[in-house]
Amino acid sequence: MSTTMNSRTVVDKTTESYYISYRRNLLAVGVMWAIFVVCLAIINVVVVAQPQWIGDTSSSPGVGFFGLIRYCQLYQTGTNLVCDGRLDDFSTILNDAFRAATVMSGLFSLLGCVIYPSGWDHAKVRSVCGSNADKFNPGSCGIRWAFILAILSIFDSLVLAILAFVLGSRFAKLRPLATGTPSAGPMNGDKHSRPQSEVNSAYADDLYHNPATTPRVATLGPANFWRRFHRHQLQHCGQVY
């Protein structure tokens, strides 16, 4: 019996130490998660709204730039750029590839970045980027900052997935490793929501009893149970059970 109690004490201390470490890591990972989520949300809004995915260069035959939704083009020298494309009217978006990329960029950035170049064969794109512009070929146009920002959002999503995996794998170690292993520690279910040192001894036998290693000598009847409960309630007056 003494060996069993010593073993249980060692397990409890080890689990409690790991739980404290887990809580500290949880706070750090939680802060990092919040920062990356906010960054991802801001990036998604910017890359969808800005028409700066590809644009003219010094060797381009025309002047203009294109985004997922909006595009701007200079039709006559000495005039202002004319912009078109609205989110509330998908028919104003240049082609189906740009429409699909718009939807995917809001859900899954990688697909948006892959689909978008397939729309570079549009006539308006060629009027700015040259006749050699084609699917996945920007011609004489160049990649601009909004496209690069969209690629960065892919890595942001990857970091979020890694943080979730790390947090989940560390939490899994708090669970019992095998059937019959004593379920010690505050994270192994509702009844272990506190360290053992904080559990009223009236319940200790029920909470930490493991029938595979420690046979129960006797079962408390209702009268004895409530008698013990009231005795400990008087001893620990003011404690929340």
Side-chain angles (χ1 to χ4, degrees), residues 204-219:
D205 290 340
D206 289 331
L207 295 184
Y208 294 98
H209 170 69
N210 180 18
T213 58
T214 309
R216 185 176 295 282
V217 176
T219 303

Side-chain angles (χ1 to χ4, degrees), residues 95-238:
N95 51 41
D96 292 337
F98 285 14
R99 296 185 191 102
T102 300
V103 175
M104 289 302 174
S105 293
L107 300 175
F108 192 49
S109 301
L110 177 60
L111 287 179
C113 292
V114 171
I115 295 174
Y116 180 74
S118 65
W120 291 347
D121 58 346
H122 192 273
K124 287 186 177 294
V125 177
R126 286 177 172 173
S127 66
V128 174
C129 302
S131 59
N132 60 333
D134 204 350
K135 294 181 178 180
F136 302 97
N137 180 11
S140 57
C141 284
I143 302 299
R144 294 202 171 181
W145 61 269
F147 203 161
I148 297 174
L149 201 60
I151 295 174
L152 290 178
S153 71
I154 299 173
F155 293 98
D156 194 328
S157 301
L158 181 61
V159 170
L160 288 175
I162 293 174
L163 290 176
F165 176 79
V166 170
L167 194 62
S169 62
R170 292 183 65 86
F171 175 77
K173 293 181 181 180
L174 293 173
R175 312 303 299 177
L177 298 179
T179 304
T181 302
S183 298
M187 290 297 292
N188 288 343
D190 293 321
K191 64 181 180 180
H192 296 292
S193 58
R194 302 178 186 175
Q196 186 178 0
S197 59
E198 298 180 12
V199 178
N200 191 310
S201 58
Y203 305 101
D205 290 340
D206 289 331
L207 295 184
Y208 294 98
H209 170 69
N210 180 18
T213 58
T214 309
R216 185 176 295 282
V217 176
T219 303
L220 288 177
N224 290 332
F225 173 81
W226 288 110
R227 189 179 296 112
R228 177 180 290 189
F229 171 78
H230 288 298
R231 182 172 67 249
H232 284 279
Q233 191 175 32
L234 292 174
Q235 291 175 354
H236 306 282
C237 183

